[in-house]
Amino acid sequence: MRRLGHHRQPGKQGGGGGGKGLLAKLSIAVFVLLICTLSLLFSVSFTPITSGSTAPSKISVEELWKSANSGGWRPSSAPRSEWPSPPKETNGYLRVRCNGGLNQQRSAICNAVLAARIMNATLVLPELDANSFWHDDSGFHGLYDVEHFIQSLRFDVQIVERIPEIHKNGKTKKIKAFQLRPPRDAPISWYTTDALKKMKEHGAIYLTPFSHRLAEEIDNPEYQRLRCRVNYHALKFKPHIMKLSESIVDKLRSQGHFMAIHLRFEMDMLSFAGCFDIFTPAEQKILKKYRKENFADKTLIYKERRAIGKCPLTPEEVGLILRAMEFDNSTRIYLAAGELFGGERFMKPFRALFPRLENHSTVDASEELATNSRGLIGSAVDYMVCLLADIFMPTYDGPSNFANNLLGHRLYYGFRTNIRPDRKGLAPVFIARENGRTAGFEEAVRHVMLKTNFGGPHKRISPESFYTNSWPECFCQMETQNPAHKCPENVMQNLHSQLESENMGLERYNRSDSRVSSAER
């Protein structure tokens, strides 16, 4: 039986050994460029990707519990060409304030590192916005392993925790960063002109807000690989968050496979989508008020939005998709979600189909999660559990940073299976069912789902984000005739040698400069 997807054949299972082993391998503080080592965990038979393969005619649940076929590709964000280490003297300091939720901030951190590299700047540890939505001031220190972050990126950028004070003529002076608002999706040229000019004038700049402030599609593949080094290697959650996540994964996997679902049936997303008609008048009033206060004024017609797949799937629709794909009611499901709008009325049909539903609070009733279940730490635990789940299913991966970043991380972390419902393709099937035409419903759902990608390498086509799909820039092949796709060798050894050589050269220059200065005096 061939695996789902239009370009894959069945591969070996990549999730064996239990959650603890996988999580331990992910969390070890390895040097960022030993990326090819990680890929050995997910070795599968080397099969070239072909876009013309005949799609299978049946869904195999057993195959879905396995990782997807890599087609011979391995995760690798190591440099493929000359990549000089950052010089001791930079053009100044770069401060950024990353706004939004956990994963929007995560993308912003990746962009900040890249911006610092582009400008030859010293990056000040990014600030995480403690906004009114999260009510969380954990900050970078509260979420991420700072020492690991700085050490992992030492070949890429200089990073400091704060702008140092200047001591001159017996006085202490603070450098005040000049505040700038970057354009949305700014090109590299903006950073090398406008931003760099202000940095050289003032010694430091402060970019705020800093979300989606650097273009995602960049022609330089080395810059894209730097983003992957930040996202998938340097950004490691603090040990206590990893331990909480490990505990949950172990408990879930103790009874076999489990699936994680990001159920995006929440007030903000429903308001954004303009999908009101299925709610009571009182609930519609709440949604419309939220939309008016948070989003641009725009007339949205529910039936039109629903027909083109712009509405988040209801919990019941999620359950019906899974049952049509032949998952049975013994399937264990971990729900990563905020507060579901409409409450138990919408959850009841889903629970009837799949009674084994869990979330981080039901699996691990620790005090930390109980007090921060809706904050950044709760979101971080959800992120790790979804990353390590055998199957991940986002129910609304449009503007959802959580779902999109996880899809990209799971692709990088061994082509782990994702179920991505085609909402546009499924909309007429569900609408027909609601109108009483139930004959052939499950077959119609399967027909739509057979055309989707389940986690293998695939071409990135707009509007798919680089953070959702970093193939092929952040992947390589051990056996290939294309040198651009060849896995690099001796990466760490070469970079260490290069850094030592540069340091020795700098020391010789300093000694020479010192002798010249002495002679002049």
Side-chain angles (χ1 to χ4, degrees):
M1 171 72 67
R2 290 192 51 196
R3 177 68 191 272
L4 295 190
H6 62 278
H7 56 251
R8 296 209 315 260
Q9 295 176 341
K12 298 177 184 177
Q13 185 167 351
K20 184 172 289 186
L22 285 172
L23 192 55
K25 290 181 177 67
L26 180 67
S27 63
I28 295 173
V30 294
F31 292 134
V32 63
L33 298 180
L34 287 177
I35 298 163
C36 286
T37 301
L38 176 66
S39 66
L40 295 176
L41 296 172
F42 310 106
S43 59
V44 294
S45 57
F46 291 139
T47 308
I49 294 177
T50 58
S51 58
S53 300
T54 303
S57 58
K58 185 179 179 181
I59 291 175
S60 169
V61 171
E62 286 305 310
E63 290 296 325
L64 283 176
W65 287 119
K66 304 174 184 178
S67 290
N69 181 23
S70 72
W73 292 89
R74 296 181 174 193
S76 174
S77 52
R80 313 282 202 275
S81 57
E82 183 180 359
W83 186 256
S85 297
K88 295 294 181 182
E89 295 296 327
T90 64
N91 288 320
Y93 294 93
L94 172 63
R95 285 181 59 199
V96 299
R97 182 176 66 85
C98 305
N99 56 305
L102 174 74
N103 291 280
Q104 187 168 310
Q105 292 175 358
R106 191 180 184 101
S107 300
I109 294 168
C110 298
N111 287 342
V113 172
L114 179 54
R117 174 76 189 197
I118 290 168
M119 293 190 290
N120 181 26
T122 299
L123 178 66
V124 182
L125 202 67
E127 301 168 20
L128 305 187
D129 183 21
N131 57 40
S132 57
F133 178 80
W134 288 105
H135 300 288
D136 192 322
D137 59 357
S138 300
F140 200 103
H141 283 87
L143 279 177
Y144 296 108
D145 186 329
V146 174
E147 183 179 351
H148 175 76
F149 180 75
I150 296 174
Q151 176 72 5
S152 294
L153 296 171
R154 69 194 185 283
F155 295 115
D156 303 304
V157 292
Q158 288 196 43
I159 304 174
V160 295
E161 294 196 36
R162 61 187 63 84
I163 299 177
E165 296 177 335
I166 297 176
H167 301 281
K168 190 175 182 179
N169 299 326
K171 296 182 179 179
T172 299
K173 180 183 177 182
K174 291 184 178 180
I175 299 177
K176 186 175 181 180
F178 182 83
Q179 185 168 321
L180 277 173
R181 184 185 180 93
R184 187 177 176 88
D185 299 320
I188 289 176
S189 59
W190 184 85
Y191 289 89
T192 57
T193 53
D194 298 48
L196 186 57
K197 179 183 177 182
K198 293 299 182 183
M199 178 177 286
K200 289 181 175 180
E201 285 179 10
H202 299 274
I205 58 173
Y206 181 35
L207 304 183
T208 178
F210 196 74
S211 172
H212 307 293
R213 302 294 161 170
L214 178 58
E216 284 192 14
E217 292 301 329
I218 297 175
D219 290 336
N220 188 333
E222 293 296 6
Y223 285 168
Q224 299 292 57
R225 284 189 273 271
L226 174 55
R227 278 171 159 158
C228 290
R229 292 200 289 278
V230 181
N231 205 8
Y232 306 135
H233 296 275
L235 281 175
K236 188 180 75 170
F237 292 121
K238 290 182 74 68
H240 71 285
I241 296 176
M242 300 297 281
K243 187 176 180 181
L244 279 170
S245 307
E246 179 181 356
S247 171
I248 291 173
V249 170
D250 283 348
K251 290 175 182 177
L252 290 169
R253 190 160 282 137
S254 66
Q255 299 182 39
H257 297 299
F258 78 95
M259 175 191 303
I261 296 179
H262 186 224
L263 199 55
R264 200 68 169 94
F265 200 71
E266 299 158 331
M267 180 170 66
D268 62 330
M269 195 54 63
L270 290 163
S271 298
F272 172 82
C275 300
F276 305 142
D277 289 23
I278 59 174
F279 297 100
T280 66
E283 290 168 339
Q284 289 188 35
K285 186 177 180 180
I286 294 170
L287 291 172
K288 289 175 181 178
K289 180 176 183 292
Y290 187 93
R291 178 172 178 80
K292 185 176 181 180
E293 293 173 350
N294 293 278
F295 304 113
D297 186 27
K298 186 177 180 181
T299 301
L300 300 175
I301 301 173
Y302 171 73
K303 289 184 178 180
E304 294 178 359
R305 303 284 289 172
R306 176 83 190 288
I308 58 175
K310 294 296 184 180
C311 290
L313 294 171
T314 68
E316 182 181 19
E317 288 171 342
V318 174
L320 290 172
I321 292 169
L322 293 176
R323 288 303 292 268
M325 294 176 68
E326 300 183 356
F327 288 94
D328 61 35
N329 62 4
S330 68
T331 304
R332 195 164 198 186
I333 296 175
Y334 178 89
L335 292 179
E339 184 177 353
L340 267 63
F341 193 77
E344 187 60 25
R345 179 170 94 257
F346 287 95
M347 277 301 298
K348 190 174 181 179
F350 185 27
R351 202 182 305 278
L353 291 168
F354 292 95
R356 300 184 70 188
L357 299 180
E358 304 277 8
N359 58 42
H360 59 225
S361 298
T362 62
V363 180
D364 190 317
S366 62
E367 182 179 350
E368 181 165 20
L369 278 178
T371 57
N372 203 324
S373 63
R374 297 297 179 220
L376 290 174
I377 292 176
S379 185
V381 170
D382 276 349
Y383 185 93
M384 287 306 307
V385 176
C386 289
L387 174 62
L388 293 171
D390 299 292
I391 296 173
F392 173 62
M393 181 180 184
T395 62
Y396 194 73
D397 57 345
S400 172
N401 292 294
F402 184 94
N404 285 324
N405 282 21
L406 265 165
L407 289 168
H409 205 155
R410 286 176 64 84
L411 189 76
Y412 190 86
Y413 191 44
F415 303 104
R416 303 178 73 77
T417 297
N418 301 309
I419 296 176
R420 301 174 67 175
D422 177 359
R423 295 191 309 279
K424 186 175 181 179
L426 290 167
V429 180
F430 281 119
I431 291 171
R433 181 179 181 273
E434 290 165 10
N435 292 330
R437 298 192 296 273
T438 58
F441 168 76
E442 291 194 344
E443 184 180 350
V445 170
R446 286 193 291 272
H447 179 73
V448 173
M449 294 304 298
L450 279 167
K451 298 177 182 179
T452 62
N453 179 280
F454 287 86
H458 60 281
K459 185 177 181 181
R460 184 170 66 251
I461 299 175
S462 181
E464 189 174 36
S465 164
F466 175 80
Y467 292 104
T468 302
N469 179 13
S470 60
W471 183 87
E473 293 95 332
C474 295
F475 295 82
C476 67
Q477 291 183 308
M478 295 297 292
E479 298 179 7
T480 178
Q481 298 301 315
N482 188 339
H485 295 158
K486 182 76 174 175
C487 289
E489 299 178 0
N490 302 322
V491 174
M492 287 300 295
Q493 180 181 335
N494 293 339
L495 286 174
H496 271 298
S497 299
Q498 179 178 300
L499 188 62
E500 289 175 5
S501 176
E502 290 170 355
N503 287 339
M504 289 176 63
L506 181 64
E507 289 174 5
R508 286 196 296 269
Y509 172 81
N510 289 338
R511 287 197 298 270
S512 174
D513 186 58
S514 177
R515 286 194 296 270
V516 171
S517 298
S518 298
E520 288 176 347
R521 286 196 296 270

